[in-house]
Amino acid sequence: MKSMNLFSDAGAKYSKALFGDSKSKENTNQLQPAPIQDENGNLTFSIEGRTYFLNVNYKEERERVKEEININSIAKYDWFKEETGENHWVLYNTKMYEVEKIYLHYKEDSNLVPIIPINATSCYDMFYGCKSLTRLDLSNFTTSNVISMESMFYNCKTLTQLDLSNFNTSSVTDMSSMFWGCESLTQLDLSSFNTSQVTNIGRMFAWCKSLTKLDLSNFDTSKVASMNEIFYNCKSLTQLDLSSFDTGSVTSMDEMFSGCGSLIKLDLSSFDTSNVIYMYEMFSDCSNLTQLDLSSFNTSQITNMCGMFSSCTALTQLNLSSFSTNNVTAMAGMFNCCYKLTQLDLSNFDTSRVVYMDNMFSYCKSLTQLDLSKFDTSEVYRMDDMFYDCQKLNIIYISAKWNINSVENSDDMFEDCHSLPNFSPEKTDIEMAKPVEEGGYLTLKK
């Protein structure tokens, strides 16, 4: 079936006359604004040359207008109440969209060029799971009133092309998970995006595993609070320039670069992390990064660093000299599987609040010594697998701050740590977490 535009030229002319010419100076491709209700709920719009007016807050008026439209137009329409965005009553083409739980979903088998529903402010999950679409014609899709694009193209696995050059995103506040799972996209041009009002870009490109590059130099992130998982499993990204990112308002960076296995370098020297609370697994599985300088990071608000560098298997240098860890309670798996790290300076670490240290250094196969003399472990509950398979580790320095009275789980704490003094493969639990002088594996720093 040939693609159809169910809004006539007459309707387009009416819309222009009613709302004026609103072409953005920044993006001349943007469409005319779509009809939207006023603060009292009054809405005027046209379909197939006919003009309609109502107050959407009254059921009788909605039913009256729906009946009139369905008598006079080719397409059939119905009302839907948004549960995201501004919670408007929205009029949608029933052949183009269907109601799915709390959102309107595009019918990919309709073969219709998508037109945004009348009075809509949300595109939440609108094209969710459209698995047979390889491309999407959004040339008539007007987004001037949209405030939520959360999960808009979520799991569109076969999309290879996406032209968003006409999108007006000046009112959008939520772009989280917008392209999640668009695993066939190799490129994405977002140069026309206005992100000045956006507060959430978490998981925005997660699982876009075919993207090789991504230019976000035009992104205004000054209001963004959440960047968690934004590049999660972008396995093919080889470079990423985030020097223009304003991160002063960000509170969450957990799993931000997790799974970016093709990145060979990452310059985050411009990042302001003073308000960030979560960084768990931030760089996990960045298996091609050889060095990471985080000396500019302010981590004074961080509470969770679990798995932060886990499986950074190529990492040989790691500068954590600026790290403040006085609020951190969890460090489980923090350096797990950092196979090539030969040294690690943690002399500035304050661990007085840390409860979880399980797997903290497990599989750090190249470390020969660890100075934990500044570690206060009085609150630690878990130390299981803490040094598991640290085969070359021959000395672990501790001090009088080393206190294991709160530890409840210590299974395999020293498993395969063959180079430690007095090591016995039968003794790998907490009983050996004491100085050599007392029959343990640790060295009391003088």
Side-chain angles (χ1 to χ4, degrees):
M1 177 179 174
K2 186 178 180 181
S3 295
M4 297 171 59
N5 182 344
L6 295 180
F7 287 88
S8 67
D9 290 339
K13 289 176 183 175
Y14 172 81
S15 178
K16 184 172 182 180
L18 184 63
F19 296 98
D21 186 353
S22 70
K23 275 187 179 178
S24 167
K25 291 180 181 178
E26 291 138 354
N27 181 6
T28 56
N29 290 324
Q30 286 176 4
L31 303 170
Q32 302 299 320
I36 198 74
Q37 69 182 60
D38 66 17
E39 59 185 8
N40 298 314
N42 297 312
L43 174 66
T44 303
F45 62 93
S46 65
I47 293 179
E48 296 179 18
R50 290 177 178 268
T51 302
Y52 301 91
F53 172 81
L54 77 157
N55 188 304
V56 295
N57 295 326
Y58 297 99
K59 182 178 180 181
E60 297 81 2
E61 292 199 33
R62 294 196 304 272
E63 291 302 312
R64 171 185 60 79
V65 168
K66 181 177 81 170
E67 183 178 357
E68 188 177 343
I69 291 171
N70 288 339
I71 290 172
N72 292 298
S73 68
I74 298 172
K76 302 306 174 188
Y77 289 82
D78 203 353
W79 291 99
F80 169 76
K81 181 67 180 292
E82 292 179 326
E83 294 195 31
T84 53
E86 296 284 2
N87 304 113
H88 282 184
W89 278 104
V90 169
L91 187 68
Y92 69 97
N93 178 337
T94 58
K95 188 172 183 180
M96 185 179 296
Y97 294 100
E98 59 190 341
V99 175
E100 289 279 357
K101 299 178 181 177
I102 64 168
Y103 60 92
L104 283 178
H105 186 257
Y106 174 70
K107 294 180 179 180
E108 58 182 307
D109 60 355
S110 69
N111 203 29
L112 295 174
V113 175
I115 302 292
I116 197 161
I118 294 168
N119 207 34
T121 64
S122 175
C123 291
Y124 172 78
D125 271 6
M126 190 164 277
F127 301 97
Y128 175 95
C130 289
K131 296 177 182 178
S132 64
L133 290 178
T134 57
R135 57 187 303 169
L136 198 53
D137 182 356
L138 299 171
S139 57
N140 291 311
F141 199 85
T142 309
T143 60
S144 54
N145 300 313
V146 174
I147 64 172
S148 176
M149 290 185 172
E150 180 185 356
S151 302
M152 187 174 179
F153 305 103
Y154 191 103
N155 219 24
C156 290
K157 290 186 175 183
T158 57
L159 267 184
T160 57
Q161 297 180 54
L162 200 52
D163 183 356
L164 307 178
S165 59
N166 66 317
F167 268 31
N168 180 341
T169 61
S170 58
S171 298
V172 178
T173 59
D174 192 345
M175 289 184 174
S176 60
S177 301
M178 188 173 177
F179 306 102
W180 194 103
C182 290
E183 57 186 45
S184 298
L185 281 178
T186 57
Q187 54 186 344
L188 194 54
D189 183 358
L190 305 179
S191 58
S192 64
F193 270 33
N194 179 342
T195 60
S196 58
Q197 301 303 314
V198 177
T199 59
N200 189 348
I201 54 176
R203 301 173 298 279
M204 187 172 180
F205 308 103
W207 287 97
C208 288
K209 58 185 183 181
S210 296
L211 280 179
T212 56
K213 59 182 179 180
L214 197 54
D215 183 358
L216 304 178
S217 57
N218 62 303
F219 268 37
D220 178 349
T221 60
S222 57
K223 292 186 178 180
V224 173
S226 179
M227 289 187 177
N228 61 297
E229 300 178 53
I230 179 174
F231 306 109
Y232 184 87
N233 255 5
C234 287
K235 295 182 177 183
S236 300
L237 276 181
T238 56
Q239 54 185 328
L240 200 52
D241 183 357
L242 303 179
S243 57
S244 63
F245 267 34
D246 180 344
T247 59
S249 298
V250 178
T251 58
S252 176
M253 288 185 174
D254 45 292
E255 299 182 89
M256 187 171 179
F257 305 101
S258 180
C260 291
S262 296
L263 280 180
I264 55 175
K265 62 179 180 179
L266 195 55
D267 182 358
L268 304 179
S269 57
S270 63
F271 269 33
D272 177 356
T273 60
S274 57
N275 289 308
V276 179
I277 300 171
Y278 304 107
M279 283 187 176
Y280 68 84
E281 296 188 24
M282 186 174 178
F283 305 99
S284 65
D285 291 298
C286 286
S287 53
N288 267 309
L289 280 180
T290 57
Q291 54 184 304
L292 201 51
D293 184 355
L294 305 180
S295 58
S296 62
F297 268 33
N298 179 340
T299 61
S300 58
Q301 304 297 319
I302 304 293
T303 60
N304 191 336
M305 289 184 174
C306 285
M308 191 170 178
F309 308 101
S310 177
S311 296
C312 287
T313 53
L315 205 57
T316 58
Q317 296 181 53
L318 188 58
N319 187 341
L320 307 179
S321 59
S322 68
F323 268 36
S324 170
T325 61
N326 55 299
N327 284 311
V328 178
T329 59
M331 290 182 174
M334 189 171 179
F335 305 102
N336 170 58
C337 291
C338 287
Y339 295 150
K340 294 188 177 181
L341 272 182
T342 56
Q343 54 185 344
L344 198 53
D345 183 359
L346 307 178
S347 58
N348 55 313
F349 271 35
D350 178 348
T351 61
S352 57
R353 294 187 180 183
V354 177
V355 177
Y356 300 102
M357 286 188 176
D358 44 302
N359 286 287
M360 188 171 178
F361 305 101
S362 58
Y363 296 101
C364 286
K365 295 174 181 285
S366 299
L367 279 179
T368 56
Q369 60 176 280
L370 265 177
D371 188 346
L372 307 183
S373 59
K374 297 294 178 68
F375 272 35
D376 176 348
T377 58
S378 56
E379 299 295 322
V380 178
Y381 172 77
R382 289 190 60 174
M383 284 187 170
D384 44 305
D385 300 309
M386 187 172 177
F387 306 101
Y388 190 101
D389 205 30
C390 289
Q391 298 175 6
K392 293 183 178 181
L393 196 59
N394 58 54
I395 190 164
I396 303 173
Y397 288 110
I398 60 167
S399 70
K401 292 181 178 181
W402 185 263
N403 182 334
I404 55 175
N405 292 337
S406 298
V407 176
E408 294 287 336
N409 196 334
S410 66
D411 292 350
D412 299 326
M413 184 176 178
F414 298 101
E415 184 74 22
D416 291 330
C417 292
H418 301 291
S419 300
L420 286 174
N422 304 321
F423 179 77
S424 169
E426 285 78 39
K427 296 179 179 180
T428 60
D429 297 342
I430 198 71
E431 60 179 320
M432 305 308 292
K434 56 189 177 184
V436 173
E437 292 81 0
E438 298 175 21
Y441 296 150
L442 310 180
T443 301
L444 197 59
K445 194 168 187 179
K446 307 297 187 200

